Amino acid sequence: MSSPVGLPALADSDLVGQIARILMQAIVQGRLPPGSKVVEAGIARELGVSRAPVREAARLLEKQGLLVASPRRGFFVRKLEIRNIDEIYDLRLCIERHAGVLAAQRLTPQSRDALRRQIDVLHRTADLDDPARQVEEDYRFHRLIFEIADNRRLLRLFDDLAAELRMVIGLIGRLYDDPHEIARTHEPLLAAIEAGHPERITAHVDYHIGHAWREVGKLVRELTPSTGIATEPQGGILLPANGVPA
């Protein structure tokens, strides 16, 4: 029998969606680390459901890029390699530059306030000792920029990266001893969007995203068994079991 993952109780509606969200949170928090097997029977038993909705949730997360299926072996949490991170950040940098400029052109007092409130949420979340929640609020700040940009295809591109971004943003949390630093790194980007100068926006996007890109890549390359994090010869990485930033 597999060990419990520590999953919450379910409501009665949207069973597959709830299970998918719970599994996604477990992955982001590191309770289901990269490379680990999703034991359908164990998860079904822990959640008090049959294996069928767990399997459907796993298929949903496979489509989103969080899980990979192995014939006759089941589903496994996808391993993030250096190449994966480089590709994600290369694409993210391109679309966030454009979204930032469009958002500045279409910014209203209401949307400006929404971005400011989201930074306040990031600061409040820093005091909760909840890495998964901080990942979500970080993601929401950047998604707000795309919503304000008001380009549906651009937003769709960002959403296509969402699952992988959640895993990568979870890694970013390990870069800061002070969780409030994550919130503070968004403030210059917001100021540039409020000022509305395209060159300044692009420069701050390049710094904000580029800094994370470099540091996450550096973190992955430097992880060793002495840090309590297992390494993989192929470049895959395993997060700490508790998912808490070191």
Side-chain angles (χ1 to χ4, degrees):
M1 293 178 63
S2 62
S3 300
V5 179
L7 305 178
L10 293 169
D12 294 331
S13 60
D14 187 23
L15 196 59
V16 172
Q18 288 182 77
I19 295 171
R21 287 189 291 274
I22 287 169
L23 291 178
M24 180 184 293
Q25 185 177 53
I27 291 168
V28 170
Q29 291 177 330
R31 289 181 285 126
L32 283 173
S36 64
K37 180 179 174 66
V38 177
V39 183
E40 294 176 14
I43 290 171
R45 184 169 54 252
E46 190 171 349
L47 293 176
V49 298
S50 68
R51 293 179 62 172
V54 175
R55 189 175 302 112
E56 288 302 312
R59 287 176 181 152
L60 180 60
L61 294 182
E62 181 191 14
K63 290 179 183 178
Q64 295 178 0
L66 275 180
L67 300 180
V68 292
S70 177
R72 296 181 297 279
R73 295 183 63 211
F75 292 92
F76 294 81
V77 180
R78 180 180 176 182
K79 297 176 183 176
L80 281 178
E81 301 178 357
I82 287 295
R83 177 174 177 177
N84 300 140
I85 290 171
D86 286 345
E87 289 176 351
I88 291 168
Y89 272 103
D90 185 33
L91 179 56
R92 185 181 179 189
L93 195 60
C94 292
I95 64 175
E96 291 224 24
R97 286 169 179 159
H98 189 51
V101 172
L102 286 180
Q105 294 171 355
R106 296 166 183 174
L107 197 65
T108 65
Q110 292 75 23
S111 58
R112 180 188 294 111
D113 289 344
L115 286 169
R116 289 174 178 170
R117 285 195 301 271
Q118 191 57 29
I119 289 182
D120 291 339
V121 170
L122 278 168
H123 277 296
R124 291 197 298 273
T125 307
D127 295 322
L128 299 180
D129 191 24
D130 186 346
R133 171 76 183 278
Q134 198 163 28
V135 166
E136 287 302 311
E137 300 303 346
D138 190 331
Y139 167 75
R140 283 173 187 159
F141 175 86
H142 289 276
R143 195 179 192 279
L144 262 176
I145 293 174
F146 282 81
E147 291 175 1
I148 295 166
D150 196 25
N151 182 315
R152 288 178 295 176
R153 285 175 174 78
L154 200 61
L155 178 60
R156 191 180 306 152
L157 277 173
F158 184 75
D159 281 340
D160 285 345
L161 290 172
E164 293 172 300
L165 282 171
R166 285 180 171 95
M167 294 178 72
V168 174
I169 293 171
L171 279 175
I172 294 172
R174 293 177 49 82
L175 301 178
Y176 302 105
D177 293 328
D178 178 6
H180 285 278
E181 186 63 20
I182 295 176
R184 287 193 288 269
T185 61
H186 292 77
E187 292 167 357
L189 177 57
L190 174 55
I193 291 172
E194 289 175 332
H197 300 300
E199 296 83 1
R200 184 179 169 194
I201 293 168
T202 299
H204 279 283
V205 168
D206 285 356
Y207 179 80
H208 182 76
I209 304 299
H211 173 75
W213 183 356
R214 288 189 301 273
E215 293 301 318
V216 170
K218 179 181 176 183
L219 175 66
V220 173
R221 290 183 178 94
E222 291 181 352
L223 290 178
T224 63
S226 63
T227 63
I229 302 170
T231 58
E232 257 252 346
Q234 293 81 10
I237 59 169
L238 301 182
L239 296 179
N242 61 7
V244 178

